[in-house]
Amino acid sequence: MASSDGAGRSLRADAQANHDRLLEVAAKAFAEDGADASLKAIAKEAGVGIGTLYRRFPTREILVEATYRSESARLCASAGDLLRHMPAVDALRVWMERFLGYLATKRGMAESLRAVLTNDDDLRLKTRGMLIDALGLLLRESEEQGTVRGGLDPADVVMALGGIALIAGDQDQRDLAGRLLDLLMAGLTAGSVQ
C-alpha cells in the first residue's frame, strides 16, 4: 500500500518499507500492550530510529489512525488473496481468525481510536462497509461452491464475530476462540449442498 509524504509525493522504496514495517510492528504492539505501547520499542522493533517514527507519525494518534487504516485494508484485501489459494470455505475460516486478530489490535488502540473515529464518522462507516464487503465475497464464493448455506447476511456474521471477540478476544483464550469459530462455521455450513 503506497503512501505519500505530507506534500502528496510518493515515498521512496526504502521509506515505504520503513513506513509499512512501522505499521506492522505498531499493530502487534497495540494488540499486545494497548494504546500505551512504547513508541521507542515500536521504532526499535521496526529497525528504525525514533526520529523516523516521528517524521512519519508526529503523534501517537496519527500512528493509531494509520495503523487502523492499514490493518483494515490488509484484512479486507486478504479475502481475495485467500480465495486464490484455497477453497472458499477454508478461506472463510482463515479470514475469520484474522478478523479476530484485527479486533484484538483495534481493542488495544481503543482509547486513541475512539477519538479518531468520533471525529471521522466517514472512516468508521467506510471501514465497516469494507469489512462487510470482504466477508460478503467469502460467503458468496462459499455459497457458490456449495459449502455454506445460502442467504447469509455478512453484516450478521460480522456481528457474530464481534461477539466471539468480546467473549474470547484475549491472547490466552485462543483455544476458546477457535472452538467458538468452529461453532459459527457449523452454523454457516448447516444445510449447505456439499
Side-chain angles (χ1 to χ4, degrees):
M1 147 181 359
S3 298
S4 61
D5 64 11
R9 297 177 297 248
S10 293
L11 296 175
R12 294 183 333 259
D14 60 334
Q16 183 66 52
N18 287 341
H19 178 89
D20 294 344
R21 180 75 178 130
L22 280 165
L23 291 176
E24 180 183 319
V25 171
K28 182 179 175 196
F30 291 139
E32 292 174 1
D33 303 325
D36 293 331
S38 164
L39 297 184
K40 283 184 181 179
I42 290 170
K44 182 177 179 181
E45 178 69 23
V48 301
I50 191 70
T52 298
L53 184 144
Y54 280 116
R55 271 191 303 282
R56 293 299 312 135
F57 310 104
T59 67
R60 181 178 297 271
E61 290 73 27
I62 291 172
L63 177 60
V64 164
E65 179 179 352
T67 302
Y68 173 71
R69 288 177 184 270
S70 175
E71 289 300 294
S72 299
R74 183 188 327 262
L75 176 63
C76 292
S78 75
D81 294 338
L82 290 168
L83 286 169
R84 284 188 285 282
H85 295 98
M86 61 185 66
V89 72
D90 296 336
L92 175 62
R93 178 66 158 86
V94 169
W95 192 88
M96 290 193 313
E97 290 172 3
R98 290 179 180 181
F99 184 85
L100 292 181
Y102 164 82
L103 290 181
T105 300
K106 188 176 164 189
R107 185 175 44 253
M109 304 183 295
E111 270 186 49
S112 298
L113 188 56
R114 189 174 300 114
V116 168
L117 294 178
T118 299
N119 293 328
D120 192 347
D121 200 43
D122 287 344
L123 174 59
R124 183 182 59 79
L125 294 174
K126 179 182 175 192
T127 302
R128 186 173 194 281
M130 288 171 34
L131 292 166
I132 289 171
D133 289 347
L135 183 55
L137 171 65
L138 292 160
L139 290 170
R140 279 190 309 279
E141 290 292 322
S142 296
E143 183 180 349
E144 287 176 14
Q145 292 177 12
T147 54
V148 300
R149 59 193 175 99
L152 295 168
D153 184 341
D156 292 345
V157 180
V158 165
M159 293 297 287
L161 289 169
I164 291 172
L166 284 174
I167 295 167
D170 293 336
Q171 288 289 355
D172 61 345
Q173 295 177 308
R174 287 279 186 204
D175 289 341
L176 176 58
R179 291 192 309 273
L180 293 173
L181 281 179
D182 289 342
L183 286 172
L184 178 56
M185 286 299 296
L188 297 176
T189 58
S192 63
V193 208
Q194 292 188 17

